Amino acid sequence: MATKDHVAGYTKYFGNRFANLSPEATTEEEIKDVYKEWASKFDEENSNARIVCHKPQAECLDFAIKKYLDKPKEEIKIIDCGAGTGWAGVELNKLGYTNLCALDISQEMLDEAKKKKIYQKFICAPLNDQQSPEVKTGEYDAMICIGTLASAHVKPAALVEMIRMIRTGGLVSFNIRYGELEIYQPKMEELEKARSWEKVSKDTVPQFDVDDMPPTSTFFVYKVLKC
């Protein structure tokens, strides 16, 4: 999770939770264990690290929804993949979105998200290349996915499943952290060439507001062409 340029910062704020995670060897069970232990401290530690990405990324999705989806906000179904304790959902709710679903690999993280009282549905499931039986094909109008596409957590093949969850014409939005774009970009481009989706925006957005953590990440919005 921590890039080489910011290992000291991640260790300072989050301890050694990610020291032994790797794209090649880490299992989903190991990821569950990390977040089971972290859930009760997650909000406090991220606040201390001055994470600021959720508000601007929710605003980017809101802008795209206004442009591409012809529905009232209260009717738009949004799935928050890798919802964690619900920071993205809070920001979307502030913008007027109330039909929100939280999906996360960690039940403990979802239990924390429930306390915020902004999601209507909770799904405890990993985000990978397998179809989630709790999500119908094309069930949602839009997706937000913040801080989840990290190579030790979610493989690029999961992008196919992310597209499947969203209806044709709907929107998939996600951020990719500093130093990780080259891992996901080949799959992103492959899906674009296959006409599964098309990119409608790419923005550099604030990530952390402290000097020893990544200052920005890249936020993408794609329109689904076929789910």
Side-chain angles (χ1 to χ4, degrees):
M1 177 177 173
T3 65
K4 292 180 181 179
D5 292 344
H6 300 98
V7 170
Y10 275 96
T11 303
K12 174 182 174 181
Y13 296 107
F14 305 136
N16 293 313
R17 291 186 179 90
F18 309 107
N20 297 319
L21 302 186
S22 72
E24 298 78 21
T26 299
T27 67
E28 289 179 350
E29 288 304 314
E30 289 172 317
I31 294 294
K32 286 182 184 179
D33 288 342
V34 168
Y35 286 94
K36 180 178 182 179
E37 181 276 330
W38 197 14
S40 64
K41 311 176 191 74
F42 185 89
D43 285 2
E44 179 183 0
E45 291 187 6
N46 275 274
S47 293
N48 291 341
R50 294 173 65 181
I51 193 167
V52 293
C53 61
H54 297 85
K55 183 176 186 290
Q57 291 176 38
E59 290 171 346
C60 285
L61 177 58
D62 178 50
F63 181 84
I65 286 173
K66 290 174 181 176
K67 186 173 182 180
Y68 294 102
L69 301 186
D70 187 20
K71 271 187 176 183
K73 286 186 176 183
E74 63 272 14
E75 294 181 13
I76 293 174
K77 294 180 66 176
I78 300 177
I79 185 167
D80 181 359
C81 284
T85 62
W87 288 42
V90 168
E91 296 302 331
L92 288 169
N93 187 257
K94 289 177 183 177
L95 292 169
Y97 298 98
T98 56
N99 200 341
L100 305 175
C101 170
L103 181 147
D104 199 272
I105 194 171
S106 168
Q107 184 59 55
E108 290 77 14
M109 295 287 277
L110 290 175
D111 289 343
E112 295 296 319
K114 287 178 183 178
K115 298 175 183 178
K116 295 180 173 64
K117 301 184 184 302
I118 43 91
Y119 294 101
Q120 282 63 57
K121 184 178 180 181
F122 297 87
I123 300 172
C124 186
L127 188 59
N128 55 31
D129 61 350
Q130 302 299 307
Q131 291 192 11
S132 173
E134 294 186 69
V135 182
K136 298 176 184 176
T137 297
E139 182 173 352
Y140 293 92
D141 297 297
M143 173 188 296
I144 195 163
C145 182
I146 297 179
T148 303
L149 296 186
S151 55
H153 288 58
V154 175
K155 304 294 188 291
L159 293 169
V160 176
E161 170 65 356
M162 291 164 66
I163 291 172
R164 184 194 69 83
M165 296 178 179
I166 307 305
R167 67 172 176 85
T168 299
L171 300 170
V172 176
S173 69
F174 54 90
N175 77 318
I176 295 182
R177 306 175 194 194
Y178 180 89
E180 300 249 351
L181 182 56
E182 64 270 17
I183 296 169
Y184 293 93
Q185 192 152 13
K187 190 65 175 180
M188 292 159 63
E189 293 176 352
E190 174 190 321
L191 291 167
E192 197 155 16
K193 289 177 182 176
R195 301 296 293 161
S196 295
W197 64 7
E198 65 178 1
K199 184 168 59 185
V200 298
S201 67
K202 175 184 176 182
D203 296 282
T204 299
V205 295
Q207 184 76 3
F208 291 93
D209 190 24
V210 288
D211 292 339
D212 49 0
M213 293 291 278
T216 62
S217 66
T218 307
F219 191 71
F220 295 88
V221 181
Y222 283 84
K223 183 168 72 171
V224 173
L225 301 180
K226 56 182 179 183
C227 59

